[in-house]
Amino acid sequence: QKEVEQNSGPLSVPEGAIASLNCTYSDRGSQSFFWYRQYSGKSPELIMSIYSNGDKEDGRFTAQLNKASQYVSLLIRDSQPSDSATYLCAVASGGSYIPTFGRGTSLIVHP
Amino acid sequence: DAGVIQSPRHEVTEMGQEVTLRCKPISGHNSLFWYRQTMMRGLELLIYFNNNVPIDDSGMPEDRFSAKMPNASFSTLKIQPSEPRDSAVYFCASSRFQGYTGELFFGEGSRLTVL
């Protein structure tokens, strides 16, 4: 059974700090990795995707992938109160490409 | 462009009643997914369609659940009879190219409460 594990949090960081969110997965055949953001009472929204080992940067967000260690992380630089949300890690294997979601990490950015 | 449209946004019903949730995917997307989200279990895939054909329904919890996609612009998820443990937020999502890369676009969800 494919599993995606995240610390539920909450992770609390001060405004302007770097928030680091982590995710591990069980299926070594996984090929596609995603971070979705979900505000309270809203639907998940894709913010980052990464497919190869290393770092991928997009504005204040950096996704990091290490397939050998089976983990993927999301760094949010200069965190803002508007970043307060639940961040869902999703992993898809080759073949079906259907993502399996982790249960999410709650991030709180306090002024 | 319009996103994924779901209805109803909220549904409160009594145990034993039939519930029908509706979804209109983004035009041009050929894959459609139904997910259920609860605090206990997170986001779970129920079923997904590719080109209107159900591909994997292994996540459908029981025979009380059924889903259809009669055309490229419409899908339904039906629960009959409903039970209190079905209370959850049900999301519909769509994607291009057979769910390629897992880049899903979610609707706003249907919050179901079964009393």
Side-chain angles (χ1 to χ4, degrees), chain A residues 32-34 36 38 41-46 49 51 88 90 92 95-103, chain B residues 9 33 35 37 39-43 45 48 91 98-109 111:
Chain A
S32 305
F33 307 86
F34 311 91
Y36 285 78
Q38 186 174 24
K42 302 296 185 181
S43 60
E45 173 192 19
L46 180 68
S49 58
Y51 305 101
L88 303 170
S96 72
Y97 294 105
I98 305 304
T100 298
F101 285 82
R103 293 181 60 181
Chain B
R9 293 292 312 280
F33 307 79
Y35 282 88
Q37 188 174 41
M39 288 293 293
M40 290 295 295
R41 301 175 68 89
L43 200 60
L45 177 66
Y48 88 95
F91 287 105
Q98 305 180 23
Y100 180 64
T101 75
E103 295 178 357
L104 307 183
F105 295 82
F106 284 82
E108 294 186 336
R111 181 176 295 276

Side-chain angles (χ1 to χ4, degrees), chain B residues 19-82:
Chain B
V19 174
T20 299
L21 307 178
R22 299 172 177 81
C23 176
K24 175 179 170 57
I26 294 172
S27 178
H29 284 190
N30 59 357
S31 293
L32 183 141
F33 307 79
W34 282 101
Y35 282 88
R36 177 173 69 176
Q37 188 174 41
T38 61
M39 288 293 293
M40 290 295 295
R41 301 175 68 89
L43 200 60
E44 302 175 282
L45 177 66
L46 300 177
I47 185 171
Y48 88 95
F49 296 84
N50 185 49
N51 292 324
N52 312 339
V53 176
I55 303 300
D56 184 355
D57 65 355
S58 60
M60 297 285 261
E62 339 178 347
D63 291 345
R64 299 185 296 107
F65 286 69
S66 62
K68 295 183 179 180
M69 191 167 186
N71 57 62
S73 60
F74 184 67
S75 177
T76 60
L77 178 67
K78 184 175 295 186
I79 308 172
Q80 167 62 21
S82 59

Side-chain angles (χ1 to χ4, degrees), chain A residues 21-88:
Chain A
L21 305 164
N22 300 312
C23 168
T24 59
Y25 58 94
S26 62
D27 184 2
R28 285 193 171 275
S30 300
Q31 297 186 2
S32 305
F33 307 86
F34 311 91
W35 285 98
Y36 285 78
R37 178 178 61 200
Q38 186 174 24
Y39 292 115
S40 180
K42 302 296 185 181
S43 60
E45 173 192 19
L46 180 68
I47 55 172
M48 288 288 288
S49 58
I50 186 167
Y51 305 101
S52 56
N53 280 329
D55 296 358
K56 179 181 178 182
E57 186 175 318
D58 184 1
R60 295 186 297 111
F61 299 96
T62 299
Q64 300 176 317
L65 175 61
N66 184 323
K67 289 186 178 180
S69 299
Q70 295 177 247
Y71 85 80
V72 58
S73 61
L74 179 70
L75 301 178
I76 306 175
R77 292 181 300 281
D78 189 23
S79 296
Q80 301 297 310
S82 59
D83 294 326
S84 299
T86 295
Y87 289 80
L88 303 170

